[in-house]
């Protein structure tokens, strides 16, 4: 909020470039009200402190009234702070100045190209056509047992999926010294919030309802969430850096904003497998 206060024009320009509408004037007004309430509260607290030091019983009523005023100010300030936090937690990252500005991927610029695209003398089949022809990929069965955007892999394709995960795990643990982790596939709200999944991407998350558990739980959208939180609220010894973790997990996403867009076959499914790398390192 301090940065936005000092460079509001820059923030507004950068956010508009990402085609996101944020009322920064409203945010700044809330910030001003918030600081004003804090100042009033601190002034009254100081006044109450002076009265309490005098130990003058005739000032008891005044002290009591001050306490009530302070309580009301705290309640008002917390309400405004909540509104501020809701806006701040939904703000996007600011892009670097050399990032092209545009409405969609058609505005992207090609920086470099590698290799040569092959020109085949036969009709190229999609992955899902090949999978179906081999009787190793079945979307209809998944629709029957579970719903849309899930798949059954059978035989050699199931084996291939497992082999690729094992191959990646072996490379990173044996050649690069990563620590393999088999983590929980559920994360609580603080874990999801800490890695930026919530509240901004809440529509993409699968929330789990558990009996007799008031805390919110979610299926992980990526192992990054759970691996990163290994060091949450911890003080790490400098000598222990870098810390490198690797995990192979199922990942779960609603892909709420991508219905009908690039969703053919195994693209943008609700469940998929991924080997994730997380490194905890010095800022530089």
């Amino acid at each position: 909020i301090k940065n936005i206060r000092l460079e509001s024009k820059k923030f507004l320009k950068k956010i508009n470039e990402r085609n996101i509408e944020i009322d920064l004037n409203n945010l700044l007004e809330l910030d001003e009200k918030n600081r004003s309430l804090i100042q009033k509260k601190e002034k009254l607290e100081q006044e109450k402190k002076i009265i309490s030091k005098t130990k003058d019983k005739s000032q008891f009523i005044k002290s009591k009234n001050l306490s009530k005023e302070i309580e009301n100010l705290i309640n008002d300030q917390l309400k405004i702070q909540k509104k501020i936090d809701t806006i701040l937690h939904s703000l996007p990252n600011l892009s670097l100045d050399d990032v092209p500005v545009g409405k969609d991927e058609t505005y992207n610029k090609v920086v470099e190209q590698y290799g040569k695209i092959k020109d085949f003398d036969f009709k190229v089949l999609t992955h899902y056509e090949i999978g179906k022809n081999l009787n190793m990929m079945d979307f209809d069965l998944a629709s029957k047992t579970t719903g849309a955007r899930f798949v059954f892999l059978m035989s050699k394709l199931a084996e291939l999926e497992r082999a690729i995960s094992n191959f990646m795990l072996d490379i990173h643990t044996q050649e690069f010294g990563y620590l393999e982790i088999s983590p929980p596939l559920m994360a609580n709200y603080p874990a999801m919030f800490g890695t930026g999944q919530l509240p901004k991407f809440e529509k993409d998350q699968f929330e789990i309802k558990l009996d007799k558990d008031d805390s919110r739980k979610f299926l992980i959208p990526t192992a990054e969430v759970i691996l990163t939180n290994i060091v949450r609220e911890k003080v790490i010894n400098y000598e222990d850096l870098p810390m490198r973790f690797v995990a192979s997990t199922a990942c779960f996403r609603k892909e709420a904003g991508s219905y009908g867009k690039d969703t053919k076959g195994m693209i943008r499914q609700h469940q998929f497998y991924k080997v994730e790398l997380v490194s905890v390192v010095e800022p530089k």
Side-chain angles (χ1 to χ4, degrees):
I1 189 66
K2 287 179 183 176
N3 292 334
I4 294 173
R5 200 185 299 145
L6 293 169
E7 299 183 277
S8 57
K9 286 183 180 178
K10 175 191 171 184
F11 269 81
L12 188 59
K13 178 179 179 289
K14 286 291 183 182
I15 290 167
N16 284 339
E17 284 177 358
R18 296 197 59 169
N19 302 301
I20 293 167
E21 289 185 14
I22 299 284
D23 189 347
L24 279 190
N25 287 329
N26 177 46
L27 177 62
L28 292 170
E29 282 173 16
L30 288 169
D31 175 52
E32 199 172 320
K33 282 181 189 174
N34 193 46
R35 285 183 293 141
S36 174
L37 287 171
I38 290 170
Q39 286 170 1
K40 284 178 184 175
K41 176 181 72 77
E42 288 174 349
K43 190 178 178 183
L44 293 180
E45 283 173 340
Q46 188 64 28
E47 194 177 337
K48 189 185 172 189
K49 194 175 180 181
I50 292 167
I51 290 171
S52 67
K53 281 183 178 178
T54 64
K55 295 179 181 178
D56 184 351
K57 289 182 180 179
S58 65
Q59 297 288 312
F60 177 74
I61 299 296
K62 187 177 181 181
S63 178
K64 198 174 180 182
N65 289 335
L66 283 173
S67 295
K68 187 64 181 173
E69 279 187 69
I70 290 166
E71 188 183 339
N72 290 336
L73 284 171
I74 289 171
N75 289 333
D76 290 342
Q77 189 259 320
L78 286 174
K79 285 175 187 174
I80 290 177
Q81 185 65 56
K82 192 175 180 181
K83 289 179 182 178
I84 291 170
D85 290 342
T86 300
I87 298 170
L88 290 178
H89 296 160
S90 299
L91 287 178
N93 291 325
L94 302 187
S95 58
L96 298 175
D97 291 334
D98 60 349
V99 175
V101 177
K103 292 179 181 178
D104 53 41
E105 63 269 19
T106 59
Y107 287 80
N108 291 343
K109 292 178 182 177
V110 177
V111 179
E112 285 184 74
Q113 283 183 308
Y114 294 87
K116 189 178 179 181
I117 297 172
K118 291 182 180 179
D119 187 20
F120 297 101
D121 58 0
F122 56 86
K123 185 194 173 189
V124 178
L125 298 179
T126 62
H127 70 276
Y128 48 90
E129 288 172 318
I130 295 169
K132 187 177 180 181
N133 292 345
L134 292 170
N135 293 317
M136 295 181 189
M137 188 180 289
D138 197 326
F139 293 95
D140 294 333
L141 180 59
S143 293
K144 185 174 75 173
T145 62
T146 313
R149 292 166 78 169
F150 291 90
V151 68
F152 272 87
L153 298 185
M154 284 92 157
S155 186
K156 294 293 181 183
L157 268 188
E159 188 179 326
L160 177 62
E161 183 176 58
R162 175 166 52 86
I164 290 172
S165 291
N166 287 339
F167 171 70
M168 296 302 292
L169 288 170
D170 289 345
I171 282 209
H172 293 298
T173 54
Q174 294 169 22
E175 294 190 29
F176 299 107
Y178 278 74
L179 175 67
E180 182 178 352
I181 307 250
S182 178
L185 299 183
M186 277 195 281
N188 58 23
Y189 191 97
M192 294 284 281
F193 174 83
T195 50
Q197 308 297 324
L198 298 174
K200 192 176 176 184
F201 301 110
E202 186 161 345
K203 288 182 180 177
D204 269 332
Q205 311 309 326
F206 283 103
E207 186 167 358
I208 304 300
K209 301 293 183 187
L210 298 172
D211 293 339
K212 297 178 182 177
D213 189 344
D214 293 333
S215 63
R216 299 178 71 189
K217 300 281 197 304
F218 302 83
L219 290 176
I220 59 168
T222 162
E224 175 194 330
V225 170
I226 213 82
L227 295 181
T228 305
N229 275 276
I230 289 172
V231 296
R232 188 176 102 238
E233 296 172 2
K234 266 190 178 181
V235 177
I236 307 299
N237 288 325
Y238 184 83
E239 295 77 21
D240 293 334
L241 297 177
M243 298 170 73
R244 304 199 187 274
F245 308 130
V246 61
S248 175
T249 68
C251 303
F252 304 89
R253 298 181 190 177
K254 286 184 181 176
E255 295 286 4
S258 61
Y259 279 106
K261 184 186 177 186
D262 303 327
T263 57
K264 290 281 188 180
M266 291 182 71
I267 307 298
R268 296 192 183 279
Q269 292 205 104
H270 292 317
Q271 175 186 315
F272 58 94
Y273 290 88
K274 178 157 65 81
V275 173
E276 184 72 54
L277 302 172
V278 165
S279 291
V280 182
V281 297
E282 303 169 54
K284 69 178 182 180

